[in-house]
């Protein structure tokens, strides 16, 4: 065990990090061992990771000293932030800067940073096709991440920049699944028109990240985008209909309607979907399915994911 390379996994009790811990620990001959980071080593989720053989260590991404302790003596780290826990790009940016600094100070040999695009490179603040939010962002939960990639590069940390995709789990946990309309019929509401949305099973993000670590230096300094499939709203609705055994219609709404839905972050998500819609070629092109499958041969399609998860989707 001592000769295994340690990968420190932030967000280990969550979706991205959890998938990576499970991928590492289910491959005993892979040469790696997971150090699972959580704020509460006594939670049920933390105990489950310990049962898999992961080392469970307490740290908080808002406490730079605890990050250094989390990274000490590790070979690599999976860095991810938790935008929806606080809705603050500034806080996210400070956390990313602290992660890069801790990675540099502890001499990590490979960091995977789970980033997203700074959409302002495509839609500057002066472009009024979508509203500017919080005075300086178009898609706050993307822009803070993308504008912070440089912290790793500036610090000279050997980094792979991982562009993730929309988790299909959002249909279970984020209230985005099919809902019954006034006509009693189920509808999947998204502001994607006829464009394709790259999606992925959250567990596969961690598995792809594990594939990147296993490739050694190949992906250091590179940006890798991953997705399980690129599907239109109509294709997803058809897959839902088949899996649920009842008709699910695709309800394409304009982004301004989505932004007005009123739930926390609706404006951010409305802008996000509009970015994905307006820059479909770039956005899908940056998330290559063959590369994703080469990193993770078990990569799920939407249909496979639905077959395994349809009973968890809250349908009234
Ligand atoms: N939903 C999507 O479709 C999607 C797609 C792409 C990217 N993303 C991005 O994914 C990120 C979230 O990743 P995720 O979905 O894997 O997270 P998650 O499932 O919400 O889990 C996050 C875990 O991180 C831990 N955590 C939260 N705050 C922490 C802190 N201050 N210090 C240390 N640990 C902390 C929590 O663990 P403990 O309670 O055990 O400490 C929690 O279990 C977000 O930034 C989001 O923008 C989401």
């Amino acid at each position: 065990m001592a000769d295994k390379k340690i990968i420190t996994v932030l967000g280990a009790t969550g979706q991205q990090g959890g998938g990576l811990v499970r991928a590492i620990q289910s491959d005993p001959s892979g040469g790696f061992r997971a150090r699972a980071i959580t704020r509460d080593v006594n939670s049920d989720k933390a105990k489950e990771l310990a049962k898999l053989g992961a080392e469970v260590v307490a740290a908080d991404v808002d406490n730079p000293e605890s990050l250094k302790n989390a990274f000490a003596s590790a070979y690599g780290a999976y860095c991810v932030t938790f935008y929806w826990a606080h809705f603050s790009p500034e806080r996210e940016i400070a956390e990313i800067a602290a992660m890069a600094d801790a990675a540099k100070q502890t001499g990590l040999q490979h960091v995977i940073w789970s980033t997203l695009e700074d959409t302002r490179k495509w839609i500057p603040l002066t472009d009024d096709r979508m509203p500017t939010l919080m005075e300086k962002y178009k898609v706050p939960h993307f822009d803070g991440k993308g504008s912070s990639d440089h912290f790793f590069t500036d610090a000279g940390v050997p980094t792979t920049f991982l562009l993730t995709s929309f988790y299909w789990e959002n249909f279970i946990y984020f209230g985005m699944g099919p809902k019954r309309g006034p006509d009693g019929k189920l509808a999947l509401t998204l502001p994607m028109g006829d464009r394709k949305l790259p999606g992925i099973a959250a567990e596969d993000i961690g598995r792809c990240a594990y594939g990147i670590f296993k490739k050694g230096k190949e992906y250091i300094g590179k940006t890798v985008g991953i997705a399980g499939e690129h599907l239109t709203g109509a294709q997803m609705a058809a897959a839902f209909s088949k899996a649920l055994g009842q008709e699910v219609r695709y309800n394409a709404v304009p982004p301004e309607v989505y932004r007005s839905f009123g739930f926390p972050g609706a404006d951010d998500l409305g802008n996000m979907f509009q970015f994905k819609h307006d820059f479909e070629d770039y956005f899908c092109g940056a998330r290559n399915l063959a590369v994703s499958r080469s990193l993770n041969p078990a990569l799920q399609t939407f249909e496979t994911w639905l077959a395994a998860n349809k009973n968890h989707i809250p349908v009234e």
Side-chain angles (χ1 to χ4, degrees):
M1 192 125 82
D3 56 352
K4 287 194 173 178
K5 292 175 175 166
I6 296 169
I7 307 277
T8 295
V9 182
L10 301 180
T13 57
Q15 305 201 73
Q16 297 190 26
L20 176 57
V21 173
R22 287 183 283 278
I24 295 172
Q25 293 306 127
S26 62
D27 183 13
S29 58
F32 293 97
R33 182 172 183 225
R35 180 181 288 162
I37 303 305
T38 170
R39 290 163 301 175
D40 178 7
V41 296
N42 294 313
S43 72
D44 290 345
K45 283 185 175 175
K47 285 181 186 156
E48 274 171 38
L49 300 176
K51 269 194 219 148
L52 300 176
E55 177 191 3
V56 178
V57 169
D60 189 317
V61 298
D62 294 312
N63 176 341
E65 278 308 310
S66 76
L67 275 179
K68 273 186 239 163
N69 180 52
F71 291 169
S73 77
Y75 159 83
Y78 186 75
C79 290
V80 54
T81 46
F82 315 106
Y83 182 82
W84 302 109
H86 49 69
F87 292 75
S88 164
E90 280 75 26
R91 182 162 157 190
E92 205 173 20
I93 291 165
E95 292 167 349
I96 301 160
M99 287 174 195
D101 185 51
K104 182 187 181 174
Q105 292 200 40
T106 52
L108 292 186
Q109 295 176 57
H110 192 176
V111 165
I112 297 179
W113 156 230
S114 177
T115 186
L116 287 167
E117 286 84 354
D118 180 349
T119 62
R120 297 165 298 182
K121 288 185 191 160
W122 287 263
I123 310 172
L125 296 183
T126 49
D127 187 330
D128 58 10
R129 86 181 81 178
M130 62 175 70
T132 292
L133 304 176
M134 302 178 188
E135 294 174 8
K136 47 183 172 177
Y137 304 103
K138 286 298 188 185
V139 184
H141 78 284
F142 271 51
D143 298 347
K145 292 179 179 72
S147 65
S148 299
D149 290 351
H150 71 92
F151 288 120
F152 293 96
T153 326
D154 295 349
V157 173
T159 305
T160 303
F161 301 89
L162 183 68
L163 292 171
T164 59
S165 289
F166 176 91
Y167 315 163
W168 292 320
E169 279 71 11
N170 294 332
F171 296 132
I172 304 177
Y173 306 113
F174 223 72
M176 291 190 184
K179 294 206 179 46
R180 229 169 269 289
D183 59 356
K185 296 221 169 107
L186 287 174
L188 175 68
T189 298
L190 285 174
M192 285 300 293
D194 60 357
R195 308 291 166 85
K196 288 181 174 165
L197 175 68
I200 194 163
E203 191 75 9
D204 280 331
I205 297 177
R207 291 183 188 149
C208 288
Y210 181 49
I212 292 171
F213 279 123
K214 280 202 299 186
K215 297 265 185 191
K217 296 197 166 128
E218 191 176 329
Y219 284 101
I220 287 176
K222 302 208 168 123
T223 297
V224 188
I226 53 169
E229 268 190 295
H230 303 154
L231 296 171
T232 61
Q235 288 171 319
M236 285 188 277
F240 270 120
S241 302
K242 199 172 152 199
L244 300 176
Q246 53 180 315
E247 193 197 349
V248 177
R249 193 164 62 71
Y250 172 44
N251 177 31
V253 292
E256 53 274 20
V257 169
Y258 199 92
R259 282 191 282 270
S260 73
F261 280 161
F263 62 84
D267 48 0
D268 188 336
L269 291 173
N271 282 7
M272 173 194 80
F273 284 120
Q274 188 177 349
F275 170 66
K276 294 178 183 185
H277 173 279
D278 291 3
F279 298 93
E280 180 196 31
D281 285 349
Y282 157 75
F283 198 80
C284 289
R287 286 155 174 81
N288 185 292
L289 305 181
V291 169
S292 309
R293 187 154 281 108
S294 74
L295 295 168
N296 166 24
L299 190 75
Q300 295 165 74
T301 61
F302 188 48
E303 197 176 331
T304 358
W305 179 86
L306 264 179
N309 290 280
K310 62 182 179 189
N311 295 333
H312 304 303
I313 294 167
V315 176
E316 313 118 51

